[in-house]
Amino acid sequence: MDNIDKIWDKLLKLTNNLENMEAKIINIGTVETGMWTLLKCKYGCSNYGKSLGCPPYTPTADEMEKVLRCYDVGILLRTKDDMGTINKVVVDLEYFALDIEFFKAFALGAGRCKICERCNLSQCIHPKLHRPSMEACGIDVQTTAKNNGYNQMIGVENGEKFYYDYGLLLID
């Protein structure tokens, strides 16, 4: 079994065989960045500048594009309105990948960090638990999702609207 299969098996264990979650191994070339994502953070989110996991503390889209060029493969995860689970699973997968010698493994979560009630904005006190979100790093999550066969960003279940949340594990 090669090491990516080991990561996939770990993912299945962490998510009870992907119950309430979907995941795909993807080519990093399908991940899109866009400067507009940072505008959505800066002008559309009340958490802008209030967390080290949010802009302006995160990489810009241009910087993230350079980071992405260091990778070939990733695992894209999707769940319904469950940022907390996505964020925990991608970080757990990152540490598992590191243990099996994927030394460049890095996780990107969904949404703002909710670990601390208030971020100290100088140095993260939970660096083993927290990773920035895809969108905070300039990744166009919608286009990336569509490039990988996830065509819906919003769904309706039992008459209630929900949003899909995404996380990404960069591995190589």
Side-chain angles (χ1 to χ4, degrees):
M1 177 188 298
D2 78 0
N3 284 342
I4 291 178
D5 289 337
K6 289 178 184 176
I7 295 171
W8 191 260
D9 286 346
K10 179 69 171 181
L11 171 64
L12 293 176
K13 288 175 187 160
L14 288 171
T15 62
N16 294 320
N17 284 315
L18 295 175
E19 187 176 310
N20 299 319
M21 189 175 293
E22 299 173 68
K24 294 180 178 185
I25 296 172
I26 66 165
N27 179 312
I28 293 300
T30 64
V31 177
E32 294 284 332
T33 58
M35 293 301 295
W36 69 269
T37 62
L38 303 177
L39 290 175
K40 295 292 272 185
C41 290
K42 187 172 184 175
Y43 297 104
C45 180
S46 61
N47 294 300
Y48 179 83
K50 293 181 180 175
S51 167
L52 293 173
C54 292
Y57 303 104
T58 55
T60 65
D62 288 339
E63 291 168 332
M64 194 66 209
E65 183 69 37
K66 290 176 185 171
V67 169
L68 291 171
R69 285 189 223 135
C70 298
Y71 297 88
D72 292 320
V73 178
I75 298 177
L76 183 65
L77 297 96
R78 174 173 106 154
T79 191
K80 298 177 194 172
D81 265 341
D82 195 353
M83 289 180 195
T85 297
I86 284 277
N87 293 337
K88 180 177 182 350
V89 168
V90 293
V91 170
D92 287 351
L93 282 177
E94 176 189 314
Y95 282 103
F96 179 77
L98 290 168
D99 286 344
I100 59 172
E101 299 187 3
F102 280 90
F103 297 116
K104 292 180 358 185
F106 190 77
L108 294 164
R112 70 176 181 85
C113 179
K114 295 182 180 180
I115 297 170
C116 296
E117 189 172 318
R118 185 178 177 139
C119 184
N120 65 32
L121 298 179
S122 61
Q123 183 173 352
C124 182
I125 61 171
H126 297 288
K128 292 189 178 212
L129 301 174
H130 174 256
R131 295 295 177 275
S133 69
M134 295 169 65
E135 54 269 33
C137 294
I139 292 177
D140 178 342
V141 177
Q142 293 79 10
T143 300
T144 298
K146 288 179 182 178
N147 288 347
N148 289 285
Y150 294 123
N151 295 315
Q152 275 187 297
M153 299 307 292
I154 301 172
V156 177
E157 193 168 81
N158 300 323
E160 297 289 320
K161 182 173 30 173
F162 66 86
Y163 294 89
Y164 286 104
D165 297 319
Y166 293 85
L168 178 63
L169 176 67
L170 301 170
I171 49 179
D172 195 5

